């Protein structure tokens, strides 16, 4: 985590609906990242919380923050606390699980988000690292799994035939060979 923050404002966090830059603004950013990968509003969302997120998600607003991010809300949107009700009104099935195991990525503010609709399913695992900043640590799209140790944007590379192509899905580019 050395050199992760550039100033005190990276730790204090963005203008947001509170109460916590890590558990609210960072959680919202995780939801937005998962939604960007998915590319559409899911019909089913399953969220697994680890460590600190598992212990405090209800009191710190992590539930409404992640859902708000998936639904496209911003950190300062006054409707953010209503994201759980918004998901229900859109007939999106939502489940939350408090995991007892340690974080699969070694960070206490970790969420594993599973977004599904029809035959499309993605799993995004990420951590809120403070001040509304996140790390996206692992992504699964279909049978393709990737561990991430860098910064966004990401390029997905997959070898599946003798031709090379580039598929741009919304803001994500997927290379295949």
């Amino acid at each position: 985590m050395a050199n992760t923050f550039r100033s005190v404002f990276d730790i204090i966090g963005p203008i947001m609906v509170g109460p916590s830059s890590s558990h609210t603004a960072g959680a919202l950013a995780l939801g937005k990242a998962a939604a960007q990968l998915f590319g559409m509003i899911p019909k089913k969302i399953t969220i697994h919380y680890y460590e600190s997120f598992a212990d405090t998600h209800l009191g710190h607003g992590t539930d409404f923050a992640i859902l708000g991010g998936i639904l496209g809300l911003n950190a300062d949107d006054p409707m953010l606390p209503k994201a759980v009700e918004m998901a229900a009104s859109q007939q999106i099935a939502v489940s939350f699980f408090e995991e007892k195991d340690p974080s699969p990525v070694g960070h206490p503010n970790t969420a594993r988000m599973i977004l599904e609709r029809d035959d499309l399913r993605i799993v995004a695992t990420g951590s809120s690292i403070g001040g509304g900043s996140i790390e996206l640590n692992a992504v699964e799209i279909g049978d393709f799994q990737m561990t991430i140790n860098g910064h966004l944007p990401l390029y997905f590379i997959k070898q599946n035939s003798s031709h090379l192509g580039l598929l741009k899905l919304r803001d994500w580019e997927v290379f295949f060979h």
Side-chain angles (χ1 to χ4, degrees):
M1 297 246 310
N3 299 323
T4 303
F5 302 110
R6 295 174 304 278
S7 76
V8 69
F9 297 106
D10 293 330
I11 298 168
I12 293 172
I15 296 171
M16 63 176 189
V17 172
S20 165
S21 63
S22 292
H23 291 251
T24 312
L28 181 128
L30 287 171
K32 279 190 178 256
Q36 187 176 17
L37 277 172
F38 196 67
M40 66 183 81
I41 298 294
K43 282 306 201 179
K44 181 178 179 185
I45 301 168
T46 306
I47 301 169
H48 297 264
Y49 293 120
Y50 296 89
E51 298 186 29
S52 178
F53 268 8
D55 294 337
T56 64
H57 66 97
L58 289 173
H60 284 188
T62 309
D63 294 349
F64 66 71
I66 287 181
L67 285 177
I70 292 169
L71 296 175
L73 300 176
N74 292 318
D76 62 349
D77 191 319
M79 291 301 296
L80 189 57
K82 301 289 184 195
V84 175
E85 292 89 350
M86 291 171 66
S89 73
Q90 295 180 40
Q91 299 180 337
I92 300 170
V94 179
S95 301
F96 300 100
F97 296 94
E98 298 167 355
E99 300 296 342
K100 302 295 182 207
D101 294 332
S103 164
V105 297
H107 194 283
N109 298 336
T110 298
R112 181 173 182 253
M113 302 159 287
I114 305 166
L115 283 63
E116 300 175 87
R117 183 184 187 116
D118 303 323
D119 60 349
L120 182 60
R121 178 179 190 267
I122 65 123
V123 180
T125 302
S127 304
S128 174
I129 59 172
S133 297
I134 64 166
E135 292 178 347
L136 193 58
N137 308 102
V139 173
E140 299 173 31
I141 301 175
D143 61 353
F144 179 72
Q145 299 178 14
M146 179 172 135
T147 301
I148 304 164
N149 293 318
H151 298 285
L152 301 175
L154 297 176
Y155 295 92
F156 291 83
I157 300 170
K158 182 177 182 182
Q159 181 176 349
N160 74 3
S161 70
S162 62
H163 66 281
L164 179 65
L166 168 65
L167 175 63
K168 182 164 176 106
L169 297 172
R170 292 175 178 68
D171 292 329
W172 293 87
E173 294 179 344
V174 182
F175 287 96
F176 57 93
H177 177 213

